[in-house]
Amino acid sequence: MDRDYEALLHPLIDPLVEHKESIMIRTLPGETDRDVTVLIVAEDEDTARLIGKKGAVANALREIISIAGKADNSNQRIHLKFESFDDNKDSGESEK
């Protein structure tokens, strides 16, 4: 059974970000049938918010999503991956 991870994650992450409309969530096949990768792509500053200090927010989201993967007895392993739209740009500007 394929779970709609986008519908599950949006209510959790939308209050944390400034640009809700630009959040993109995609489910990608994993290495095995049990593995699922959920890719969350956001603006650079929103990606930072979703990861949090020392990865605290990302770890909390991973915990919630892993429970959802086990809830229907499918015993799926869900992997969250965070990317920024800005990752694809060659930016020579970095804050020091």
Side-chain angles (χ1 to χ4, degrees):
M1 175 184 183
D2 287 337
R3 184 174 293 279
D4 186 356
Y5 293 106
E6 184 172 359
L8 179 67
L9 282 167
H10 266 295
L12 297 172
I13 64 176
D14 284 355
L16 303 174
V17 298
E18 286 189 24
H19 306 284
K20 298 172 193 34
E21 69 284 347
S22 67
I23 297 291
M24 187 176 74
I25 300 172
R26 296 290 179 260
T27 304
L28 308 170
E31 294 177 16
T32 68
D33 289 342
R34 279 186 54 206
D35 292 311
V36 174
T37 299
V38 178
L39 176 65
I40 301 172
V41 185
E43 298 292 333
D44 195 36
E45 65 273 8
D46 286 339
T47 300
R49 283 186 188 92
L50 292 174
I51 293 172
K53 290 185 181 181
K54 297 184 181 180
V57 176
N59 288 336
L61 290 170
R62 285 186 178 103
E63 188 68 28
I64 292 167
I65 205 77
S66 73
I67 292 167
K70 295 177 177 95
D72 60 3
N73 292 326
S74 67
N75 206 21
Q76 286 188 313
R77 289 185 299 224
I78 313 302
H79 306 278
L80 283 187
K81 183 175 179 183
F82 298 88
E83 288 187 7
S84 171
F85 289 118
D86 296 338
D87 286 348
N88 297 326
K89 297 178 185 173
D90 185 22
S91 174
E93 303 169 331
S94 61
E95 293 182 22
K96 296 181 181 177

